[in-house]
């Protein structure tokens, strides 16, 4: 059976996720997979240099934008972390950038994500969700999804 090394950051939650994934991959693929935990900075260096077979890598968009995240895999991207090159993928991103409306942008980005997962460039393992909830009579706050900030300086109650 082939031996594969999976790089993983030194994070207990991610290490646990990696262990479960390895068990399933070994069962389904019949491959022997070693888990190697390293500091996040080393993981990023190894992935950037292309010095790994597989990595559990915490991708994050700098602005919480799907477009920004997906552009990180484009051939023309400086980051191009997995060193993936695909004219078809680049064309999907170009169509998203030139799309006329939100629905067309969302469709093109969804197709780009599907392209990455179909090509096994990326296999989403987990995601982070956040939300802000306020009753309908609360007003005067501002949300910044890019910076994950909530400005409560103008907070008030409707009808005051």
């Amino acid at each position: 059976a082939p031996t594969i090394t999976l790089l993983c950051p030194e994070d207990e939650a991610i290490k646990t996720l990696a262990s479960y994934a390895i068990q399933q991959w070994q069962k389904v693929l019949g491959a022997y997979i070693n888990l190697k935990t390293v500091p996040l900075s080393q993981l990023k260096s190894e992935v950037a240099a292309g010095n790994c077979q597989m990595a559990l890598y915490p991708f994050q968009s700098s602005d919480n934008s799907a477009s920004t995240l997906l552009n990180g895999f484009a051939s023309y991207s400086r980051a191009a972390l997995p060193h993936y090159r695909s004219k078809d993928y680049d064309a999907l991103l170009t169509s998203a950038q030139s799309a006329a409306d939100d629905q067309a942008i969302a469709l093109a980005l969804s197709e780009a994500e599907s392209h990455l997962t179909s090509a096994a460039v990326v296999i989403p393992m987990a995601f982070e969700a956040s939300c802000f909830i306020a009753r309908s009579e609360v007003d005067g706050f501002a949300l910044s999804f890019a910076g994950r900030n909530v400005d409560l300086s103008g907070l008030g109650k409707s009808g005051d």
Side-chain angles (χ1 to χ4, degrees):
T3 300
I4 299 168
T5 299
L6 172 65
L7 285 181
C8 172
E10 293 175 329
D11 175 291
E12 284 306 312
I14 295 176
K15 189 176 173 182
T16 300
L17 177 65
S19 296
Y20 287 126
I22 286 172
Q23 289 173 10
Q24 291 302 310
W25 292 335
Q26 288 176 338
K27 199 182 305 181
V28 173
L29 302 174
Y32 183 76
I33 302 173
N34 293 317
L35 179 60
K36 180 180 178 184
T37 59
V38 296
L40 184 58
S41 59
Q42 182 181 344
L43 175 74
K44 289 182 176 186
S45 297
E46 296 287 338
V47 170
N51 293 336
C52 63
Q53 295 169 298
M54 291 192 328
L56 263 178
Y57 191 97
F59 284 105
Q60 186 174 4
S61 168
S62 60
D63 62 359
N64 276 353
S65 156
S67 179
T68 301
L69 182 71
L70 293 169
N71 271 296
F73 296 94
S75 300
Y76 50 80
S77 170
R78 279 186 349 183
L81 290 171
H83 302 276
Y84 182 65
R85 303 286 183 264
S86 169
K87 290 180 183 178
D88 292 337
Y89 180 74
D90 294 346
L92 290 169
L93 294 177
T94 300
S95 70
Q97 292 165 352
S98 62
D101 58 42
D102 289 345
Q103 187 173 9
I105 293 169
L107 178 62
L109 293 177
S110 177
E111 289 174 356
E113 179 185 13
S114 293
H115 179 95
L116 288 177
T117 56
S118 295
V121 174
V122 174
I123 301 170
M125 301 286 287
F127 64 93
E128 181 181 289
S130 59
C131 65
F132 179 81
I133 300 171
R135 293 176 57 147
S136 60
E137 58 270 2
V138 176
D139 62 12
F141 60 88
L143 300 176
S144 168
F145 293 107
R148 295 184 178 183
N149 297 318
V150 179
D151 178 2
L152 301 175
S153 60
L155 192 62
K157 184 175 177 182
S158 296
D160 286 348

